[in-house]
Amino acid sequence: MPGFNDGWLGVPARPGKPRQNGLTHVMDKGLNIRDIEGMFDTAGDFVDIVKLGWGTSYVTNNLEKKIALYRSFGTPVVCGGTLFEAVYAKGKLDEFKSWLTEHRFAHVEISDGTIDIPRDEKLELIRDFARDFVVLSEVGSKDSDVVYAPYQWVEWIKEELEAGSWKVITEAREGGTAGIFRKDGDMRTGLIDEIVHGVPVDDLIFEAPTKSSQAWFVKQLGPNVNLGNIPPDEVIPLETLRLGLRGDTLKEILIGTPGKKV
């Protein structure tokens, strides 16, 4: 699918699907078939991957229809990392693999934001699943009171990429209150600065569920930064941020020099 190129306004170039950077990773918390059709009718060119949030895929009545519909739009689907953690805690990894294969999931998320998984074991799980699936792993705790040093984030992200992760997600939770955010919603910009100086930006997906955080990432890291946990009704607004077609980024992206990278 060709990228967005209007030819006359001079917006930034955006690669077409399937993209390797500039990804918009959308959160599906229980969309119905008509919701999905509507999202793709309006914003399908900008939806790169859809996450069925936390454990919603396990209780969705029309899961097979939803997955088939997403596949028809050329868009991969992944279950939330919390489902993986529940599977790990219950010792059901083999059953989970069979379930993923049965439902034709090509991607899997491996996280340890709630359940403690020893580092060596998490890395081995990434290696194991990467043999049959595209792995997105996640770093960071869902507990807003747990704060890791920046060097630990960088070290863990590098380890998980080396173990076979396609992209590593930086935790923020659905509301932006943990991980790369403080519990009051402020971004930990110093942490992000350390991460992007230690890891190639294209290897990361930054969870950015709020407009202010999306605008910050676009201004600091450019239009083709990978952003995750985007609500379905925010896909088009995010694309306008990427292209400088919204006041938050117009000066930096469209009519001026993009913000200096952190």
Side-chain angles (χ1 to χ4, degrees), residues 1-5 11-17 19 21-24 45-48 222-226 238-239 242-243:
M1 184 180 295
F4 186 88
N5 184 359
V11 299
R14 290 277 285 132
K17 294 174 64 174
R19 285 177 276 267
N21 60 4
L23 302 178
T24 295
D45 288 355
F46 314 122
V47 178
D48 295 291
N224 289 312
V225 61
N226 301 321
L238 170 56
E239 195 64 22
R242 292 186 187 277
L243 300 178

Side-chain angles (χ1 to χ4, degrees), residues 10-233:
V11 299
R14 290 277 285 132
K17 294 174 64 174
R19 285 177 276 267
Q20 292 299 309
N21 60 4
L23 302 178
T24 295
H25 166 283
V26 176
M27 171 78 83
D28 175 344
K29 299 189 293 183
L31 296 178
N32 62 47
I33 296 298
R34 288 166 294 283
D35 292 333
I36 297 169
E37 290 173 338
M39 177 173 66
F40 277 87
D41 181 53
T42 304
D45 288 355
F46 314 122
V47 178
D48 295 291
I49 185 167
V50 173
K51 175 163 70 175
L52 306 180
W54 47 98
T56 56
S57 56
Y58 194 73
V59 298
T60 296
N61 290 335
N62 59 347
L63 182 61
E64 291 184 5
K65 289 182 180 179
K66 288 184 66 169
I67 294 172
L69 184 57
Y70 280 125
R71 288 172 62 90
S72 75
F73 289 121
T75 302
V77 186
V78 64
C79 299
T82 301
L83 179 61
F84 171 82
E85 294 184 51
V87 165
Y88 172 84
K90 296 287 287 184
K92 300 290 185 179
L93 291 168
D94 289 340
E95 291 86 346
F96 183 50
K97 287 182 182 178
S98 297
W99 184 82
L100 291 172
T101 301
E102 176 188 349
H103 289 87
R104 302 180 70 191
F105 283 101
H107 294 61
V108 64
E109 182 177 321
I110 295 178
S111 72
D112 57 352
T114 304
I115 300 295
D116 289 330
I117 302 177
R119 283 301 299 166
D120 288 347
E121 189 168 354
K122 185 182 182 185
L123 296 175
E124 184 53 41
L125 287 165
I126 291 171
R127 294 186 193 98
D128 181 33
F129 275 84
R131 297 185 183 101
D132 300 304
F133 303 94
V134 178
V135 174
L136 294 91
S137 62
E138 187 173 60
V139 168
S141 175
K142 287 181 167 59
D143 185 342
S144 59
D145 291 323
V146 175
V147 178
Y148 299 118
Y151 81 89
Q152 292 178 300
W153 284 76
V154 173
E155 178 181 325
W156 294 338
I157 290 168
K158 287 181 175 179
E159 288 176 345
E160 294 182 16
L161 289 167
E162 291 172 1
S165 293
W166 171 54
K167 306 285 185 187
V168 176
I169 301 167
T170 61
E171 177 69 70
R173 300 214 70 178
E174 178 193 357
T177 55
I180 59 172
F181 289 77
R182 297 182 176 89
K183 66 171 64 177
D184 62 3
D186 285 345
M187 292 179 61
R188 298 178 62 199
T189 55
L191 167 62
I192 297 166
D193 176 61
E194 291 290 332
I195 291 172
V196 301
H197 275 87
V199 180
V201 173
D202 287 352
D203 290 335
L204 301 162
I205 296 177
F206 298 99
E207 291 190 340
T210 64
K211 185 195 77 168
S212 60
S213 62
Q214 295 161 18
W216 187 89
F217 278 115
V218 169
K219 287 191 288 188
Q220 296 297 323
L221 301 176
N224 289 312
V225 61
N226 301 321
L227 297 178
N229 275 15
I230 306 303
D233 61 353

